Amino acid sequence: MDAVRFELIKNDEKTKASLGRLRTPHGLIETPVFMPVGTQATVKAMRPDQLKEIGAKIILSNTYHLYLRPGHEIVKAAGGLHKFMNWDGAILTDSGGFQVFSLGDLRKITEEGVSFRSHIDGSKHMFTPEKSMEVQNALGSDIMMAFDECPPYPAEREYVKRSLERTTRWLERCVKAHKNTEKQSLFGIMQGGMYKDLRKLSASQIVEFDLPGYAIGGLSVGEPKELMYEVMDYCVDYLPKNKPRYLMGVGSPDCLFEGVERGVDMFDCVLPTRVARNGLAMTSHGRISIKNAAYEKDFSKLDPECDCYTCTNYSRAYLRHLFKANEILSSMLLTNHNLYFLINLMERIRNSIKDGNFLELKREFYNKYGEF
Amino acid sequence: MDAVRFELIKNDEKTKASLGRLRTPHGLIETPVFMPVGTQATVKAMRPDQLKEIGAKIILSNTYHLYLRPGHEIVKAAGGLHKFMNWDGAILTDSGGFQVFSLGDLRKITEEGVSFRSHIDGSKHMFTPEKSMEVQNALGSDIMMAFDECPPYPAEREYVKRSLERTTRWLERCVKAHKNTEKQSLFGIMQGGMYKDLRKLSASQIVEFDLPGYAIGGLSVGEPKELMYEVMDYCVDYLPKNKPRYLMGVGSPDCLFEGVERGVDMFDCVLPTRVARNGLAMTSHGRISIKNAAYEKDFSKLDPECDCYTCTNYSRAYLRHLFKANEILSSMLLTNHNLYFLINLMERIRNSIKDGNFLELKREFYNKYGEF
């Protein structure tokens, strides 16, 4: 029996949207779900009790960062990542692949794996499928991601094909190397760039492993949004409906709607937390840059339709003051709001699928939000 | 009737320590009390609900900073500082005097007041006793401090004498200018440097105004600790016992004990919050620099005798990781601990006065804490 099990609850009649339940060793998660990112064993500027308060059930953490600092052995000695960071909800860890590929000149890819230099101190390291599994087993995440290669955009068809086939061979090695199947589940990752037939090829190869979940990798890597939606659309169809389908690294409000409409069950993105630290808030009426002079004497709520801690207790004028004064509380309150906004939006999306009015909610939301 | 009223509950038999109660428009405060500092309308890295959680009843905020940013008129338009920052406990504001004197070359003192340039944008401003009252009335703090001059250390006797007499004249102007006596109380500030007779002179002048509380200013300005304790000792005696006596800007654990022993009722200090952001924790067994390599694999509590949120849920290894990774949560958790540590220490001090064993607690604490 897989550590993580998915149950399909309802298919929307007018779209490919669906409701599901993901059972993990750390709680039941209703899908579609948005996962906040906690790169370095903390969702930036949030205490775990606050994450609970805003309804987060699962967070993502990064293997590359934790491997380098504090080191997976230390996290393991602490009793695993959940205990180390005091988070008893579910955790998904990425494979480290995406981060090491992003290092550019600092890394080299071979069939064996990827050798790279640390962005912190320049020290030499190597990630292989086996190493990624070892690290993720040490971290003890509920969902582990396979070690894959995410090609850049644009990329030559021939390169993408060779790369996805290597990703499949790496998946086979991941499956063999995974040592803790009772408590941790491994998800495979489909690649194939923006080539439809290659996406199909990748999917057909990875579903052979009958894994408890699959991700769509290699999107939101610089391609136009329309192209992303087009690729997303057929990618989902190549993956089994009775397994969760996770769109990696995507999480702006419009992407959530478009992804859900195309059948995506899981999302993660640094966007809400990162922009919060830059003074940007997502609201029901669009994005707000809190440093704007217009908010100097604006004593209204950040988002008039939001009932998060930030919107309940503070005015735009106060939030602007905190940001201008470079106060830590600015990051704390805006992060809290942005995460709540997306988590709450996902709940409304789930309810709309339940009630059969997903497209109505989408239309209403888009009308109010304006430009994305 | 004064907005803030003090009641003396018990005098310690062996020392000048005493228990009291301070009634404010925003709650009852048991003394001796430690006040966390919230310079820019926020105690750095703390949400107000967390301040409540750790037992804070009164915080200090800075008139100079709020006057410059966001501006006292904006705070007033927001409904006052309590509402602006979402803090329904008591607030004490300083007069802005100390900050403008600290500007060095950027300020000039006359009988009228102090002209200065903003540290933010270099703009020209003038603080007078009347202006300080106007700003503090706009902020709406429960306790306002008189506009005084705090001479540097060391300072010539003649200068200190002229300065304290001007401070008395400024106090008279403050009393006249204070427009909201029903909801805000004005405390006077004793000066006089390290000169015993001048301290006595200053005290005798300011107590003439029969104010609801008095502060000892001009200590902890660079003088040796022994000298500070000596001056503190006689300063307290020159102030009435039935009014709260507030030692400004002092708050290391040893200073709290020494101050309480000499009869001080109120303290404030940026120390616990500032050092927290630099990775320093105050614990029952002394100060800990969390970045120390010794804590890399130390999975024990930050302070084994502490039951704050940080100590209950996290290990030293995790806190070290957060600090090394430059995570905001590091400042949040260490600030939470340090403030709890001092607030909890004050509660233990009050209980020891109640139980008649203050000196025993002091001895026990000093033995464990080691070097201050």
Side-chain angles (χ1 to χ4, degrees):
Chain A
M1 179 93 86
D2 289 315
V4 165
R5 298 183 305 282
F6 183 70
E7 187 188 351
L8 186 63
I9 302 294
K10 183 186 174 183
N11 287 313
D12 187 36
E13 287 180 12
K14 295 169 199 153
T15 69
K16 291 192 279 177
S18 63
L19 278 180
R21 279 197 205 112
L22 198 60
R23 282 170 209 282
T24 79
H26 291 86
L28 183 73
I29 296 147
E30 297 190 313
T31 61
V33 66
F34 174 78
M35 304 182 282
V37 177
T39 297
Q40 304 190 108
T42 159
V43 174
K44 290 188 195 298
M46 292 288 287
R47 272 172 35 170
D49 54 345
Q50 289 155 6
L51 280 172
K52 280 264 167 87
E53 192 180 280
I54 61 169
K57 305 276 188 203
I58 177 168
I59 62 171
L60 179 147
S61 203
N62 293 105
T63 289
Y64 167 78
H65 290 89
L66 296 177
Y67 161 80
L68 287 180
R69 188 168 58 191
H72 58 293
E73 292 294 357
I74 284 178
V75 177
K76 187 179 182 179
L81 186 54
H82 294 84
K83 194 169 172 205
F84 186 56
M85 69 180 289
N86 182 36
W87 172 250
D88 62 6
I91 299 175
L92 180 150
T93 43
D94 66 1
S95 69
F98 186 78
Q99 265 81 19
V100 295
F101 295 117
S102 308
L103 291 171
D105 290 348
L106 292 172
R107 52 88 175 149
K108 199 184 156 208
I109 309 169
T110 61
E111 180 66 21
E112 174 62 11
V114 185
S115 56
F116 61 96
R117 284 182 180 276
S118 156
H119 74 285
I120 301 169
D121 62 7
S123 55
K124 277 189 182 175
H125 302 270
M126 178 141 193
F127 268 1
T128 61
E130 291 77 15
K131 187 71 190 179
S132 177
M133 293 300 103
E134 179 201 330
V135 176
Q136 292 186 73
N137 280 157
L139 299 175
S141 49
D142 301 271
I143 300 173
M144 300 158 55
M145 298 308 298
F147 190 69
D148 65 329
E149 187 195 344
C150 175
Y153 173 82
E156 297 276 331
R157 182 188 160 78
E158 197 44 43
Y159 180 87
V160 174
K161 182 161 188 286
R162 270 185 290 124
S163 165
L164 83 83
E165 287 173 335
R166 184 165 54 206
T167 285
T168 302
R169 291 192 296 276
W170 283 358
L171 175 57
E172 188 171 3
R173 286 164 59 188
C174 283
V175 171
K176 277 188 194 150
H178 176 18
K179 298 290 185 222
N180 190 19
T181 50
E182 273 185 32
K183 293 192 177 161
Q184 299 180 267
S185 275
L186 174 67
F187 281 20
I189 304 177
M190 173 214 276
Q191 290 291 351
M194 310 301 157
Y195 304 97
K196 191 169 180 180
D197 60 329
L198 296 186
R199 285 286 178 178
K200 189 170 186 179
L201 177 65
S202 175
S204 70
Q205 292 180 353
I206 65 173
V207 299
E208 286 293 309
F209 293 91
D210 192 24
L211 297 166
Y214 297 96
I216 301 164
L219 286 182
S220 196
V221 290
E223 76 283 9
K225 264 192 181 174
E226 297 66 33
L227 180 57
M228 178 172 80
Y229 294 151
E230 184 193 321
V231 178
M232 202 193 290
D233 203 30
Y234 54 70
C235 281
V236 173
D237 294 335
Y238 299 147
L239 294 171
K241 265 198 93 81
N242 63 338
K243 300 288 175 74
R245 294 173 294 198
Y246 161 32
L247 180 59
M248 302 184 82
V250 170
S252 65
D254 51 339
C255 290
L256 296 185
F257 273 104
E258 301 298 333
V260 168
E261 187 171 351
R262 287 162 176 81
V264 174
D265 304 296
M266 301 167 71
F267 301 84
D268 80 280
C269 195
V270 295
L271 185 79
T273 42
R274 181 172 293 164
V275 301
R277 298 194 301 283
N278 292 320
L280 280 178
M282 299 166 171
T283 80
S284 314
H285 299 268
R287 292 199 350 176
I288 276 183
S289 176
I290 201 65
K291 62 172 171 257
N292 198 309
Y295 306 124
E296 190 181 10
K297 295 173 190 176
D298 183 344
F299 302 113
S300 66
K301 291 166 71 164
L302 181 59
D303 182 347
E305 295 171 35
C306 180
D307 55 0
C308 80
Y309 174 80
T310 304
C311 290
T312 307
N313 295 299
Y314 302 93
S315 65
R316 292 172 174 186
Y318 182 68
L319 295 170
R320 176 177 189 271
H321 163 65
L322 290 181
F323 183 79
K324 299 278 286 182
N326 203 21
E327 283 287 352
I328 290 174
L329 189 59
S330 172
S331 295
M332 292 163 64
L333 294 180
L334 291 180
T335 300
N336 190 87
H337 168 76
N338 282 352
L339 285 179
Y340 179 86
F341 182 77
L342 290 189
I343 288 170
N344 182 252
L345 182 60
M346 263 319 195
E347 193 182 335
R348 290 168 61 201
I349 287 176
R350 289 194 302 271
N351 287 334
S352 77
I353 302 173
K354 227 171 274 175
D355 301 341
N357 53 18
F358 168 73
L359 286 176
E360 286 82 347
L361 175 68
K362 184 185 168 193
R363 197 176 322 115
E364 185 197 328
F365 183 86
Y366 276 46
N367 282 340
K368 265 202 248 171
Y369 203 85
E371 295 260 323
F372 284 101
Chain B
M1 179 93 85
D2 290 313
V4 165
R5 298 183 306 282
F6 183 70
E7 187 189 350
L8 186 65
I9 303 293
K10 184 186 174 182
N11 287 313
D12 187 38
E13 287 181 11
K14 297 169 199 151
T15 69
K16 292 192 278 177
S18 62
L19 276 180
R21 279 196 206 113
L22 198 59
R23 282 171 209 281
T24 79
H26 291 87
L28 184 73
I29 296 147
E30 297 191 311
T31 63
V33 65
F34 174 78
M35 304 182 282
V37 177
T39 297
Q40 303 191 107
T42 159
V43 174
K44 287 185 197 304
M46 291 289 286
R47 274 173 32 170
D49 55 345
Q50 288 155 5
L51 279 172
K52 280 265 168 84
E53 190 180 282
I54 61 168
K57 305 276 189 203
I58 177 168
I59 62 170
L60 179 146
S61 203
N62 292 104
T63 288
Y64 166 78
H65 290 88
L66 296 177
Y67 161 80
L68 288 180
R69 188 170 57 194
H72 58 293
E73 293 294 357
I74 284 179
V75 177
K76 187 179 180 179
L81 185 55
H82 295 84
K83 196 168 170 206
F84 186 58
M85 69 181 289
N86 182 37
W87 172 249
D88 63 5
I91 299 176
L92 179 150
T93 44
D94 66 1
S95 70
F98 186 77
Q99 266 81 18
V100 295
F101 295 118
S102 308
L103 291 171
D105 290 348
L106 292 172
R107 52 85 176 154
K108 196 183 157 209
I109 309 169
T110 62
E111 180 66 20
E112 174 62 11
V114 185
S115 56
F116 62 95
R117 285 183 180 275
S118 156
H119 74 285
I120 301 170
D121 61 7
S123 55
K124 276 189 182 176
H125 303 269
M126 178 141 193
F127 268 1
T128 60
E130 291 77 15
K131 186 74 190 175
S132 177
M133 293 301 103
E134 179 201 330
V135 176
Q136 293 185 73
N137 280 156
L139 298 175
S141 49
D142 301 271
I143 300 172
M144 300 159 55
M145 298 306 299
F147 190 70
D148 65 328
E149 187 195 345
C150 175
Y153 174 83
E156 297 277 328
R157 181 189 161 79
E158 196 45 42
Y159 180 86
V160 174
K161 184 161 188 285
R162 272 186 289 124
S163 164
L164 82 83
E165 287 173 335
R166 184 165 53 207
T167 285
T168 301
R169 291 191 296 277
W170 283 357
L171 175 58
E172 189 172 2
R173 287 165 58 189
C174 284
V175 170
K176 279 187 193 150
H178 175 19
K179 299 289 184 223
N180 189 19
T181 51
E182 273 184 32
K183 292 193 177 161
Q184 298 181 266
S185 275
L186 174 66
F187 280 20
I189 304 177
M190 174 214 277
Q191 291 291 349
M194 311 298 159
Y195 304 98
K196 190 171 182 179
D197 59 330
L198 296 186
R199 285 286 179 178
K200 189 170 187 180
L201 176 65
S202 174
S204 70
Q205 293 179 354
I206 64 171
V207 299
E208 285 295 309
F209 293 90
D210 193 24
L211 297 165
Y214 298 96
I216 301 164
L219 286 181
S220 197
V221 289
E223 76 282 10
K225 264 193 182 173
E226 297 65 35
L227 180 56
M228 177 172 80
Y229 294 150
E230 186 194 319
V231 178
M232 202 194 292
D233 202 31
Y234 54 70
C235 281
V236 173
D237 295 335
Y238 299 146
L239 293 171
K241 266 199 92 83
N242 61 339
K243 299 288 175 72
R245 294 172 296 198
Y246 161 31
L247 180 59
M248 302 184 82
V250 170
S252 65
D254 50 340
C255 289
L256 296 185
F257 273 104
E258 301 297 333
V260 168
E261 187 170 352
R262 288 162 177 82
V264 173
D265 304 297
M266 300 166 70
F267 302 84
D268 81 280
C269 196
V270 295
L271 185 78
T273 42
R274 180 171 294 164
V275 301
R277 297 194 302 283
N278 293 319
L280 279 177
M282 300 167 169
T283 80
S284 315
H285 298 269
R287 292 201 345 178
I288 276 182
S289 176
I290 201 65
K291 63 172 170 255
N292 199 310
Y295 306 124
E296 191 181 10
K297 296 174 189 176
D298 183 343
F299 302 112
S300 66
K301 292 166 69 162
L302 181 58
D303 181 347
E305 294 171 35
C306 181
D307 55 1
C308 81
Y309 173 80
T310 305
C311 290
T312 307
N313 294 299
Y314 301 94
S315 65
R316 292 172 173 185
Y318 181 68
L319 295 169
R320 177 178 188 269
H321 162 66
L322 290 181
F323 183 80
K324 299 279 284 182
N326 202 22
E327 284 286 352
I328 289 174
L329 189 60
S330 171
S331 294
M332 292 163 63
L333 295 179
L334 291 181
T335 299
N336 190 87
H337 168 77
N338 281 353
L339 284 179
Y340 180 86
F341 182 77
L342 290 190
I343 287 170
N344 182 253
L345 182 61
M346 262 321 195
E347 191 182 336
R348 291 168 62 201
I349 287 175
R350 288 195 300 271
N351 287 335
S352 77
I353 301 172
K354 229 171 271 174
D355 300 341
N357 53 19
F358 168 75
L359 286 176
E360 286 79 348
L361 175 68
K362 182 185 169 193
R363 196 177 320 116
E364 187 198 326
F365 183 87
Y366 277 46
N367 282 341
K368 265 202 247 171
Y369 203 85
E371 295 261 323
F372 286 99

PDB file of all heavy atoms in Angstrom, chain B residues 189-206:
ATOM      1  N   ILE B 189      10.441  63.723  33.933  1.00  0.00           N
ATOM      2  CA  ILE B 189      11.723  63.014  33.866  1.00  0.00           C
ATOM      3  C   ILE B 189      12.777  63.759  34.670  1.00  0.00           C
ATOM      4  O   ILE B 189      13.044  64.939  34.442  1.00  0.00           O
ATOM      5  CB  ILE B 189      12.215  62.857  32.412  1.00  0.00           C
ATOM      6  CG1 ILE B 189      11.152  62.155  31.554  1.00  0.00           C
ATOM      7  CG2 ILE B 189      13.532  62.083  32.377  1.00  0.00           C
ATOM      8  CD1 ILE B 189      11.528  62.032  30.088  1.00  0.00           C
ATOM      9  N   MET B 190      13.389  63.030  35.595  1.00  0.00           N
ATOM     10  CA  MET B 190      14.479  63.589  36.387  1.00  0.00           C
ATOM     11  C   MET B 190      15.780  63.476  35.602  1.00  0.00           C
ATOM     12  O   MET B 190      16.049  62.442  34.978  1.00  0.00           O
ATOM     13  CB  MET B 190      14.616  62.775  37.675  1.00  0.00           C
ATOM     14  CG  MET B 190      15.821  63.167  38.509  1.00  0.00           C
ATOM     15  SD  MET B 190      16.497  61.729  39.347  1.00  0.00           S
ATOM     16  CE  MET B 190      15.425  61.665  40.764  1.00  0.00           C
ATOM     17  N   GLN B 191      16.566  64.557  35.602  1.00  0.00           N
ATOM     18  CA  GLN B 191      17.910  64.489  35.024  1.00  0.00           C
ATOM     19  C   GLN B 191      18.913  64.842  36.125  1.00  0.00           C
ATOM     20  O   GLN B 191      18.583  64.706  37.293  1.00  0.00           O
ATOM     21  CB  GLN B 191      18.025  65.417  33.807  1.00  0.00           C
ATOM     22  CG  GLN B 191      17.220  64.956  32.593  1.00  0.00           C
ATOM     23  CD  GLN B 191      17.784  63.687  31.948  1.00  0.00           C
ATOM     24  OE1 GLN B 191      18.896  63.231  32.261  1.00  0.00           O
ATOM     25  NE2 GLN B 191      16.995  63.081  31.049  1.00  0.00           N
ATOM     26  N   GLY B 192      20.111  65.254  35.750  1.00  0.00           N
ATOM     27  CA  GLY B 192      21.106  65.605  36.766  1.00  0.00           C
ATOM     28  C   GLY B 192      22.406  64.831  36.620  1.00  0.00           C
ATOM     29  O   GLY B 192      23.304  64.933  37.463  1.00  0.00           O
ATOM     30  N   GLY B 193      22.484  64.053  35.542  1.00  0.00           N
ATOM     31  CA  GLY B 193      23.731  63.337  35.257  1.00  0.00           C
ATOM     32  C   GLY B 193      24.160  62.443  36.400  1.00  0.00           C
ATOM     33  O   GLY B 193      23.327  61.781  37.025  1.00  0.00           O
ATOM     34  N   MET B 194      25.461  62.426  36.685  1.00  0.00           N
ATOM     35  CA  MET B 194      25.978  61.555  37.730  1.00  0.00           C
ATOM     36  C   MET B 194      26.259  62.369  39.004  1.00  0.00           C
ATOM     37  O   MET B 194      27.046  61.965  39.855  1.00  0.00           O
ATOM     38  CB  MET B 194      27.247  60.824  37.239  1.00  0.00           C
ATOM     39  CG  MET B 194      27.076  60.164  35.860  1.00  0.00           C
ATOM     40  SD  MET B 194      25.790  58.848  35.777  1.00  0.00           S
ATOM     41  CE  MET B 194      25.436  58.805  34.008  1.00  0.00           C
ATOM     42  N   TYR B 195      25.604  63.535  39.122  1.00  0.00           N
ATOM     43  CA  TYR B 195      25.820  64.422  40.276  1.00  0.00           C
ATOM     44  C   TYR B 195      24.667  64.298  41.264  1.00  0.00           C
ATOM     45  O   TYR B 195      23.531  64.668  40.957  1.00  0.00           O
ATOM     46  CB  TYR B 195      25.969  65.863  39.797  1.00  0.00           C
ATOM     47  CG  TYR B 195      27.092  66.028  38.779  1.00  0.00           C
ATOM     48  CD1 TYR B 195      26.829  66.063  37.420  1.00  0.00           C
ATOM     49  CD2 TYR B 195      28.424  66.117  39.213  1.00  0.00           C
ATOM     50  CE1 TYR B 195      27.863  66.191  36.489  1.00  0.00           C
ATOM     51  CE2 TYR B 195      29.461  66.245  38.282  1.00  0.00           C
ATOM     52  CZ  TYR B 195      29.169  66.280  36.930  1.00  0.00           C
ATOM     53  OH  TYR B 195      30.190  66.402  36.023  1.00  0.00           O
ATOM     54  N   LYS B 196      24.988  63.811  42.455  1.00  0.00           N
ATOM     55  CA  LYS B 196      23.956  63.516  43.449  1.00  0.00           C
ATOM     56  C   LYS B 196      23.114  64.742  43.781  1.00  0.00           C
ATOM     57  O   LYS B 196      21.881  64.682  43.783  1.00  0.00           O
ATOM     58  CB  LYS B 196      24.617  62.961  44.716  1.00  0.00           C
ATOM     59  CG  LYS B 196      23.628  62.397  45.705  1.00  0.00           C
ATOM     60  CD  LYS B 196      24.334  61.653  46.851  1.00  0.00           C
ATOM     61  CE  LYS B 196      23.302  61.055  47.809  1.00  0.00           C
ATOM     62  NZ  LYS B 196      23.938  60.305  48.910  1.00  0.00           N
ATOM     63  N   ASP B 197      23.764  65.876  44.033  1.00  0.00           N
ATOM     64  CA  ASP B 197      22.994  67.066  44.429  1.00  0.00           C
ATOM     65  C   ASP B 197      22.125  67.578  43.284  1.00  0.00           C
ATOM     66  O   ASP B 197      21.028  68.090  43.497  1.00  0.00           O
ATOM     67  CB  ASP B 197      23.924  68.174  44.952  1.00  0.00           C
ATOM     68  CG  ASP B 197      24.949  68.604  43.912  1.00  0.00           C
ATOM     69  OD1 ASP B 197      25.346  67.763  43.062  1.00  0.00           O
ATOM     70  OD2 ASP B 197      25.344  69.783  43.928  1.00  0.00           O
ATOM     71  N   LEU B 198      22.608  67.381  42.051  1.00  0.00           N
ATOM     72  CA  LEU B 198      21.814  67.830  40.905  1.00  0.00           C
ATOM     73  C   LEU B 198      20.605  66.913  40.696  1.00  0.00           C
ATOM     74  O   LEU B 198      19.530  67.364  40.294  1.00  0.00           O
ATOM     75  CB  LEU B 198      22.667  67.899  39.639  1.00  0.00           C
ATOM     76  CG  LEU B 198      23.812  68.931  39.669  1.00  0.00           C
ATOM     77  CD1 LEU B 198      24.501  69.005  38.307  1.00  0.00           C
ATOM     78  CD2 LEU B 198      23.309  70.312  40.098  1.00  0.00           C
ATOM     79  N   ARG B 199      20.790  65.620  40.952  1.00  0.00           N
ATOM     80  CA  ARG B 199      19.659  64.699  40.870  1.00  0.00           C
ATOM     81  C   ARG B 199      18.593  65.112  41.893  1.00  0.00           C
ATOM     82  O   ARG B 199      17.407  65.121  41.604  1.00  0.00           O
ATOM     83  CB  ARG B 199      20.123  63.252  41.155  1.00  0.00           C
ATOM     84  CG  ARG B 199      20.890  62.623  40.003  1.00  0.00           C
ATOM     85  CD  ARG B 199      19.941  62.246  38.876  1.00  0.00           C
ATOM     86  NE  ARG B 199      20.619  61.653  37.725  1.00  0.00           N
ATOM     87  CZ  ARG B 199      19.990  61.208  36.644  1.00  0.00           C
ATOM     88  NH1 ARG B 199      18.667  61.276  36.573  1.00  0.00           N
ATOM     89  NH2 ARG B 199      20.653  60.707  35.633  1.00  0.00           N
ATOM     90  N   LYS B 200      19.082  65.477  43.101  1.00  0.00           N
ATOM     91  CA  LYS B 200      18.155  65.880  44.156  1.00  0.00           C
ATOM     92  C   LYS B 200      17.428  67.161  43.760  1.00  0.00           C
ATOM     93  O   LYS B 200      16.204  67.285  43.929  1.00  0.00           O
ATOM     94  CB  LYS B 200      18.928  66.109  45.466  1.00  0.00           C
ATOM     95  CG  LYS B 200      18.032  66.314  46.661  1.00  0.00           C
ATOM     96  CD  LYS B 200      18.817  66.304  47.967  1.00  0.00           C
ATOM     97  CE  LYS B 200      17.846  66.344  49.153  1.00  0.00           C
ATOM     98  NZ  LYS B 200      18.567  66.324  50.436  1.00  0.00           N
ATOM     99  N   LEU B 201      18.189  68.094  43.170  1.00  0.00           N
ATOM    100  CA  LEU B 201      17.608  69.359  42.723  1.00  0.00           C
ATOM    101  C   LEU B 201      16.546  69.116  41.650  1.00  0.00           C
ATOM    102  O   LEU B 201      15.423  69.634  41.718  1.00  0.00           O
ATOM    103  CB  LEU B 201      18.728  70.257  42.165  1.00  0.00           C
ATOM    104  CG  LEU B 201      18.292  71.597  41.565  1.00  0.00           C
ATOM    105  CD1 LEU B 201      17.695  72.509  42.635  1.00  0.00           C
ATOM    106  CD2 LEU B 201      19.490  72.295  40.886  1.00  0.00           C
ATOM    107  N   SER B 202      16.896  68.298  40.657  1.00  0.00           N
ATOM    108  CA  SER B 202      15.961  67.996  39.571  1.00  0.00           C
ATOM    109  C   SER B 202      14.687  67.360  40.133  1.00  0.00           C
ATOM    110  O   SER B 202      13.571  67.779  39.807  1.00  0.00           O
ATOM    111  CB  SER B 202      16.623  67.049  38.559  1.00  0.00           C
ATOM    112  OG  SER B 202      15.693  66.640  37.587  1.00  0.00           O
ATOM    113  N   ALA B 203      14.874  66.376  41.017  1.00  0.00           N
ATOM    114  CA  ALA B 203      13.713  65.685  41.598  1.00  0.00           C
ATOM    115  C   ALA B 203      12.827  66.670  42.341  1.00  0.00           C
ATOM    116  O   ALA B 203      11.597  66.683  42.171  1.00  0.00           O
ATOM    117  CB  ALA B 203      14.179  64.563  42.528  1.00  0.00           C
ATOM    118  N   SER B 204      13.452  67.520  43.153  1.00  0.00           N
ATOM    119  CA  SER B 204      12.653  68.441  43.969  1.00  0.00           C
ATOM    120  C   SER B 204      11.852  69.391  43.080  1.00  0.00           C
ATOM    121  O   SER B 204      10.740  69.784  43.425  1.00  0.00           O
ATOM    122  CB  SER B 204      13.560  69.226  44.924  1.00  0.00           C
ATOM    123  OG  SER B 204      14.349  70.140  44.183  1.00  0.00           O
ATOM    124  N   GLN B 205      12.409  69.729  41.921  1.00  0.00           N
ATOM    125  CA  GLN B 205      11.693  70.619  41.007  1.00  0.00           C
ATOM    126  C   GLN B 205      10.536  69.905  40.310  1.00  0.00           C
ATOM    127  O   GLN B 205       9.430  70.444  40.213  1.00  0.00           O
ATOM    128  CB  GLN B 205      12.657  71.204  39.961  1.00  0.00           C
ATOM    129  CG  GLN B 205      13.676  72.158  40.581  1.00  0.00           C
ATOM    130  CD  GLN B 205      14.660  72.732  39.564  1.00  0.00           C
ATOM    131  OE1 GLN B 205      14.671  72.336  38.401  1.00  0.00           O
ATOM    132  NE2 GLN B 205      15.498  73.668  40.005  1.00  0.00           N
ATOM    133  N   ILE B 206      10.771  68.697  39.829  1.00  0.00           N
ATOM    134  CA  ILE B 206       9.710  68.046  39.031  1.00  0.00           C
ATOM    135  C   ILE B 206       8.580  67.500  39.902  1.00  0.00           C
ATOM    136  O   ILE B 206       7.429  67.485  39.465  1.00  0.00           O
ATOM    137  CB  ILE B 206      10.251  66.956  38.067  1.00  0.00           C
ATOM    138  CG1 ILE B 206      10.886  65.782  38.819  1.00  0.00           C
ATOM    139  CG2 ILE B 206      11.241  67.546  37.062  1.00  0.00           C
ATOM    140  CD1 ILE B 206      11.240  64.601  37.913  1.00  0.00           C
TER     141      ILE B 206
END
